[in-house]
Amino acid sequence: MRKLRTIEMNRLTVEEFKASEKVPLIVVLDDVRSLYNVGSVFRTGDAFRIEAIYLCGITATPPHNEIHKTALGAEDSVDWRYFNTADEAVEELQRNGYFVYAVEQAEGSTKLQSLSNTQFPPLSRGGQEGSFAIVLGNEVKGVHQSVVDLCDDCLEIPQYGTKHSMNVSVTAGIVIWEFARNLKSL
């Protein structure tokens, strides 16, 4: 086996990315403090062609050198918006027909592996069938309880070790992949 060179990978230009069909998923970052985590989520969002990233509260916004260090330019390809609070972002998403999941350990949460093709795209609101958003929280406190209360459901990644949490950018990668796998064949 031979590794592919970059020019052999047929990567999209930023303009082609902007014009391309997207996975109907928006990622909401609720007070994510690490700019490296923010950049990593941008890079993963670019890899799976998500619609957008909503940056909320203390979450930093581009342009910023620390975001760019891990995003490697994905902050230019993936659309993003800033909201003062994740509550505002969730409320707007729901008004626009998105089904919103908090990614959090909560009573009655839906285990990520229980999502399947049969659940996509029936979950939706008013006419925007199959549009989803996920909310990822602060590295220490997780998703704010007020945001969890607003969301339509909680998704939880089962964990079997001694720790009860994962890095937010790792969590984003796992969950975004699961949505991309179920919602889009790129």
Side-chain angles (χ1 to χ4, degrees), residues 12 15-22 49:
L12 299 176
E15 295 75 25
E16 291 168 332
F17 181 96
K18 295 275 189 194
S20 69
E21 185 179 348
K22 307 292 187 300
R49 268 197 246 167

Side-chain angles (χ1 to χ4, degrees), residues 90 93-95 97-102 108 110 123-125 131-133 135 147-155:
V90 169
L93 286 162
Q94 290 173 331
R95 278 193 306 273
Y98 287 77
F99 191 93
V100 183
Y101 288 99
T110 299
L123 297 174
S124 66
R125 309 176 159 320
S131 294
F132 297 91
V135 182
V147 176
V148 171
D149 293 342
L150 287 172
C151 288
D152 298 299
D153 197 358
C154 284
L155 283 178

Side-chain angles (χ1 to χ4, degrees), residues 30-44:
D30 180 13
D31 281 345
V32 172
R33 64 183 178 174
S34 165
L35 281 70
Y36 298 122
N37 283 334
V38 173
S40 182
V41 173
F42 268 100
R43 194 162 162 191
T44 301

Side-chain angles (χ1 to χ4, degrees), residues 23 25 48 175-186:
V23 170
L25 178 68
F48 294 109
V175 177
I176 292 169
W177 162 248
E178 188 64 20
F179 276 84
R181 186 176 74 78
N182 282 284
L183 293 172
K184 178 109 174 125
S185 298
L186 296 174

Side-chain angles (χ1 to χ4, degrees), residues 43-59:
R43 194 162 162 191
T44 301
D46 175 277
F48 294 109
R49 268 197 246 167
I50 66 168
E51 267 185 59
I53 297 173
Y54 288 2
L55 309 167
C56 305
I58 66 167
T59 307

Side-chain angles (χ1 to χ4, degrees), residues 102-126:
V103 180
E104 190 60 79
Q105 296 165 334
E107 294 173 343
S109 63
T110 299
K111 303 300 186 219
L112 184 61
Q113 75 272 20
S114 71
L115 290 179
S116 67
N117 286 340
T118 60
Q119 290 177 286
F120 294 106
L123 297 174
S124 66
R125 309 176 159 320

